[in-house]
Structures are given as C-alpha cells and as structure tokens.
Amino acid sequence: MKIAVCIKQVVTRDWQVRPDEARTWIRDADAEFEMNEPDAYALEAALRLREAHGGEVIAVSAGPARVAQVLREALARGADRALHVEDDGLARADASVVAEALAAAIGPETPDLVLTGLQSDDMGFGQTGVILAERLGVAHATIIMDVQVQGAAVRVKRELEGGWFQWLEMPLPALLTIQSGINQLRYATLKGIMAAKKKEIRVVAAPGAAAAQRVLALRAPEKQKQTRMIAGSPAEAARELVRALREDARVVS
C-alpha cells in the first residue's frame, strides 16, 4: 500500500509573530519552524497503516529550501522517502496554489491513499486537502478520527458537531484530512535520525500556478486593558455593571 502524507512547515507556536516591512506577511527570517501538528497526526496514521498492511509512506511538502528540515523529521519518524516541491513563493501561497503544487508531485506516484492534516496551525483554512483531492480526481473525506483499510476500500470515522460521528466507506484511491488527537504521536529515535540521512528527498519543480488570492494587509492583534470603577450603592453598581456588560462590552444579552 502506497500512502502519501502532506506535511507543512509552520512557525513554532511560542514565536512572537511580527509583520514584515510591507505588512503583507510575517517576518520569518529569524523565526523557528516545526511540523504542523495536524500533519504530524496524519503521518502517524500513515505509519500505522503501513505497519498493518505493508507498503511505503511518502512525505510530501511544498515550500522554500528550509522545508527539507521538516521532511527530514518525517523520515526520522519512519517515512520511507520524501518529495519536496521547492519554491520560495509557496511559503505564502494560498490553498489553491499549494494544492496544485502538491498534486504535481503526488499525481505521478499514484498512491492508494493521501493523508493531510485537517488544517494548518498558521492559516487554518482547512482547504488544501479538499482542493488537492479535486486536483487528483479522488474521493475525499474530512475530519477523520479513525481509518480502516478493507481491501480496495477504506472505512473512516468522521467527527461531526455536537459529539456526533459518521462512518463512511469509500473506494481507493482516496484522500483523508486527519483530525488532531486521532492517535498518540511517535517521536524520532536516534536510530531513526541516523537512518533518515540515507533516505531520499527528491526535489520536484513547482508548476507555477497563478494565485487565486493575495494578502492585502497583515497586523498583529492589539492587546488592550481597561479598568473601570463603578460607584454607587451595591444595587446601583449591579445595575450599571449589567448595563455596561450588555451595551458597552456586549458580552451578555
């Protein structure tokens, strides 16, 4: 069974995000990067499926040269080989462009299953996997909590709203977007890190798709604090507090 796993490199969560001089993207020159957490769960799901059914796991990522770092991590965790769609512009590309780039790399591999994280920790659109499925021409399902391969089909458990779940059966090949928490992550061992140095990372040329959207402006959230003293008797203060919460802060109705 051949499984392709899409992995995104994102800025670490504890890094203080700052806009660049043009205020159209973040200042990532001095940032630290890590594997997108939902994609880490997708990788773990792929590794477990390989252990159960055999085959290979291919890690795929799109972005500048620094993306090779996260691909090496995927190889150290157990992926067999990696594909890198290398292009500096893909670091800030929209979901449509990234999906086009990933499809160019994954398509010739004809995998039985393609796994992505549900969404990215930075943009959080949750659209790349869905668009990628359309580009590859395969069935897809989102917010997956369990994956069971049954011959030429796959049975999956989808998370719905309100604590509900849905079981679906789909023909292979298929694409699934994996929900965080589906499994317990494994981490790279010293043996895995050493083995990763000998595994292949093949660079694939980006197709050069036109962007469907662009960022006009970007700014960090503003933090504001305000202390307000309410005078009067307890009853008067209570009435004024309720009025302020309802009309000024609009946090109660």
Side-chain angles (χ1 to χ4, degrees):
M1 185 176 196
K2 183 184 289 188
I3 307 172
V5 185
C6 299
I7 296 172
K8 185 176 184 180
Q9 186 187 55
V10 297
V11 174
T12 55
R13 295 185 178 186
D14 56 354
W15 184 72
Q16 184 178 358
V17 177
R18 292 167 291 178
D20 59 16
E21 293 181 358
R23 292 195 170 275
T24 57
W25 200 246
I26 62 171
R27 292 176 53 187
D28 57 1
D30 57 346
E32 294 183 358
F33 296 90
E34 64 184 2
M35 183 183 297
N36 183 50
E37 184 180 63
D39 295 344
Y41 284 99
L43 174 61
E44 178 63 29
L47 295 174
R48 295 189 182 201
L49 287 171
R50 184 194 61 189
E51 291 169 354
H53 303 281
E56 67 171 344
V57 173
I58 308 169
V60 188
S61 189
R66 58 175 166 77
V67 168
Q69 175 186 354
V70 78
L71 288 174
R72 283 292 176 199
E73 182 181 349
L75 294 173
R77 293 193 188 195
D80 297 286
R81 54 190 176 94
L83 302 175
H84 179 189
V85 187
E86 186 173 346
D87 189 290
D88 291 344
L90 292 173
R92 61 179 68 188
D94 59 56
S96 178
V97 173
V98 173
E100 196 74 43
L102 293 172
I106 295 173
E109 295 286 343
T110 61
D112 301 294
L113 197 60
V114 180
L115 302 183
T116 75
L118 174 62
Q119 61 187 18
S120 61
D121 288 335
D122 51 5
M123 302 301 287
F125 288 156
Q127 293 296 305
T128 303
V130 177
I131 299 173
L132 176 58
E134 177 66 21
R135 297 290 186 269
L136 294 174
V138 299
H140 76 276
T142 58
I143 324 178
I144 301 303
M145 296 295 296
D146 191 14
V147 183
Q148 300 175 4
V149 175
Q150 301 175 340
V154 60
R155 189 167 182 261
V156 298
K157 179 182 180 182
R158 295 188 64 230
E159 182 180 16
L160 304 180
E161 295 180 355
W164 289 78
F165 297 92
Q166 177 187 46
W167 283 95
L168 294 175
E169 186 171 313
M170 308 163 56
L172 295 175
L175 182 146
L176 309 174
T177 69
I178 304 298
Q179 173 69 292
S180 296
I182 184 176
N183 46 45
Q184 185 170 350
L185 299 177
R186 73 185 71 187
Y187 294 94
T189 62
L190 179 59
K191 181 180 179 181
I193 295 172
M194 298 302 295
K197 296 180 180 180
K198 300 179 181 180
K199 294 180 180 179
E200 177 191 16
I201 297 182
R202 183 163 60 87
V203 177
V204 180
Q213 63 183 28
R214 62 189 179 92
V215 177
L216 297 178
L218 186 72
R219 65 179 177 86
E222 297 179 2
K223 296 181 179 180
Q224 296 181 346
K225 292 183 179 180
Q226 182 180 10
T227 301
R228 179 178 174 183
M229 304 300 295
I230 300 178
S233 65
E236 293 172 340
R239 286 193 296 269
E240 175 59 20
L241 176 60
V242 172
R243 187 206 64 77
L245 292 174
R246 180 183 294 119
E247 299 179 9
D248 298 340
R250 296 184 179 181
V251 293
V252 298
S253 56

